[in-house]
Amino acid sequence: MNAIHIDPARRVDAIHPHVFGGFAEHLGRCINGGIYDPDHPLADDRGLRSDVRQALMELRMPIMRYPGGNFVSGYRWRDGVGPREARPARHDLAWAALEPNTFGTNEFVDFCRDIGTEPYLVVNCGDGDMREAHDWVEYCNGRDDTALANLRRAHGWERSHDVKYWGLGNEVDGEWQIGAKQPQEYARVCKEFGKVMKWADPSIKLLASATCHWRSDLVERAQLIVEEASDLIDYMSIHWYVGNSLARGQQRDDDFNAYMAISELIEARLSGYAGLMRGLCLAHGLEPIPLAVDEWNVWYRAFRDQALEEHYNLEDALVVALQMNAFIRHADTVKMANLAQIVNVIAPILTSPTGLVRQSIFHPFRLYSQWARGDALDLHWEGETFDGGDYQGVRVLDVAGSLQGSRLGLFIVNRSLESSTVELKLSAGELSDLTCHVVNGPDIKTVNSEAEPELVTVRTATPASATHLELEPHSVTVVTGHLA
């Protein structure tokens, strides 16, 4: 039998709401034809689809990254402000597409306010310069009688946008990036871009693009960023994508156990990078700089020729939950995470001319963003194990927990194709009013579609026992209740 040991005195840290953030890029149909679709019958007077708005509000994303992604390394923010009829169309080098620039900074900020999320902008550190970055901060946040603040006012936005979070480029360690940077080059970017941006608004928070490639120079990159710009950098940004079967056109074995064991790689990356930052900051007499996993998701079948419109199945939903469990368990170091992306492009929501589909990964994200509140619990769990890929002895259950006042949340992924029983063992107190919210479907390859939109969905049930739970095969179970 499996067992989860719950000690309410053992806390990791507060779970930051920003770990349930999102990401919108000018890529495929994420912005144009997704968020912004003025010709659609459900579009409002700003061109935003009301059904997309409703679905996004269900996800409760408290922060939204924009406008890229690879796209931002060739982006000129001035192209996307002012009268729409005067905005220039540009060829986007990152994704070999035509960008009309009909949706830009002001529209994005309004969209964020509309769905109750905080805007997080990324500046162009590819073919852009520090003056452009400084000017964007002043345009957005300026309150004085300056040319840039007045330009925003002339465009129709009298009040400052007060954009607090700013990223210093995207994936600068990747050779696919416009203006990719060597470690020393990028450390200087952090210093020089960072200081003029904070001179424009000292209250902003800056995120350094630390690693996405996970190759040998990640230690050097982190060290140089800390040495050059530790007084300016507020977060270290890291990226990853995981998948099963196909990876950007390369055939892989469709191995369910190996896919489920990807949790061990995620754990290693978070633990390793957090340890690296602790060591570097200790050496320089600094408080540890927190991590922002500001691009993460499952991505493997769809690439450019499919406009990255991934169709997710049930096993993908399990792996999304595994990643969110890791963020909760590492609540002391992971203070932001942004699901990439939100609509159509590797996204929980797929739109069509007639409606939209809440994909399989939509459901665990919605449950976690709703119930993972308060402090992360330092849980111990034990039970059956399995072997998958390069990993042996992996626990069948993957578990995280939260406690806010007396409100308990347990987040359990059953990675077995069979049902499992788990015993809840408390060091103190007792559980009451338990409810199980279960994400599941007929089998691990089940995909939601317009014809069958709820094959993978959430069912709610009251467990028969407060100490023993029956977990469905291949399922995500979010247990909520009170710990008195």
Side-chain angles (χ1 to χ4, degrees), residues 133-450:
H134 164 278
D135 288 355
W136 201 6
V137 176
E138 186 176 332
Y139 177 88
C140 288
N141 294 0
R143 291 184 173 86
D144 295 332
D145 186 19
T146 67
L148 287 163
N150 288 335
L151 182 63
R152 183 196 68 242
R153 296 180 182 112
H155 290 158
W157 282 264
E158 177 66 29
R159 295 179 56 189
S160 165
H161 290 326
D162 293 330
V163 177
K164 183 177 182 180
Y165 297 92
W166 294 81
L168 296 172
N170 175 76
E171 296 186 354
V172 295
D173 60 326
E175 67 272 6
W176 56 86
Q177 204 68 213
I178 300 169
K181 302 285 190 291
Q182 294 299 316
Q184 182 63 52
E185 289 180 284
Y186 183 64
R188 293 296 299 158
V189 162
C190 290
K191 181 71 171 182
E192 299 305 321
F193 276 59
K195 71 185 184 186
V196 297
M197 291 171 69
K198 286 200 170 182
W199 287 347
D201 183 351
S203 71
I204 64 174
K205 301 293 184 182
L206 296 179
L207 292 88
S209 176
T211 192
C212 69
H213 214 307
W214 297 94
R215 59 187 179 189
S216 59
D217 70 357
L218 67 87
V219 174
E220 180 186 10
R221 284 182 176 273
Q223 180 177 351
L224 290 172
I225 291 169
V226 169
E227 289 176 353
E228 286 278 357
S230 60
D231 58 330
L232 297 166
I233 297 303
D234 299 286
Y235 296 79
M236 298 289 275
S237 157
I238 61 177
H239 293 180
W240 67 63
Y241 293 94
V242 297
N244 190 10
S245 181
L246 292 175
R248 301 187 185 184
Q250 295 181 353
Q251 186 71 40
R252 290 184 181 176
D253 293 333
D254 186 12
D255 187 331
F256 177 72
N257 280 0
Y259 193 23
M260 293 300 106
I262 203 75
S263 59
E264 308 309 291
L265 174 62
I266 301 305
E267 279 292 322
R269 284 179 169 175
L270 289 179
S271 298
Y273 209 90
L276 169 63
M277 292 310 300
R278 284 195 182 99
L280 289 171
C281 291
L282 176 65
H284 290 82
L286 306 169
E287 290 295 316
I289 301 173
L291 304 184
V293 190
D294 57 7
E295 280 191 38
W296 69 273
N297 203 349
V298 171
W299 175 21
Y300 51 90
R301 302 181 190 91
F303 201 49
R304 288 197 190 198
D305 54 341
Q306 297 98 16
L308 282 72
E309 296 198 10
E310 195 75 69
H311 292 261
Y312 290 113
N313 60 28
L314 177 58
E315 65 181 358
D316 298 325
L318 269 60
V319 171
V320 163
L322 294 177
Q323 294 175 80
M324 289 189 288
N325 275 356
F327 300 150
I328 295 170
R329 291 193 297 264
H330 290 266
D332 56 335
T333 54
V334 178
K335 297 300 182 181
M336 186 189 299
N338 301 76
L339 180 71
Q341 295 182 22
I342 55 170
V343 183
N344 291 325
V345 175
I346 49 174
I349 300 164
L350 278 177
T351 68
S352 73
T354 56
L356 60 77
V357 174
R358 291 165 176 81
Q359 297 218 72
S360 65
I361 69 171
F362 180 99
H363 299 295
F365 193 100
R366 180 180 67 80
L367 290 175
Y368 278 63
S369 67
Q370 178 178 358
W371 295 109
R373 291 286 184 263
D375 293 339
L377 290 174
D378 182 15
L379 299 177
H380 171 68
W381 73 99
E382 57 192 342
E384 295 97 352
T385 62
F386 69 99
D387 297 339
D390 297 328
Y391 302 99
Q392 291 78 45
V394 180
R395 286 171 286 187
V396 168
L397 302 185
D398 188 82
V399 179
S402 66
L403 190 62
Q404 183 180 43
S406 67
R407 171 66 69 180
L408 176 72
L410 293 175
F411 307 89
I412 309 169
V413 182
N414 180 15
R415 295 181 274 194
S416 173
L417 299 179
E418 307 294 332
S419 60
S420 298
T421 301
V422 61
E423 181 181 2
L424 306 182
K425 295 186 175 183
L426 275 68
S427 65
E430 62 182 25
L431 293 172
S432 62
D433 303 323
L434 292 189
T435 301
C436 292
H437 312 263
V438 182
V439 180
N440 211 345
D443 61 66
I444 60 173
K445 301 300 184 183
T446 301
V447 175
N448 288 346
S449 65
E450 281 196 275

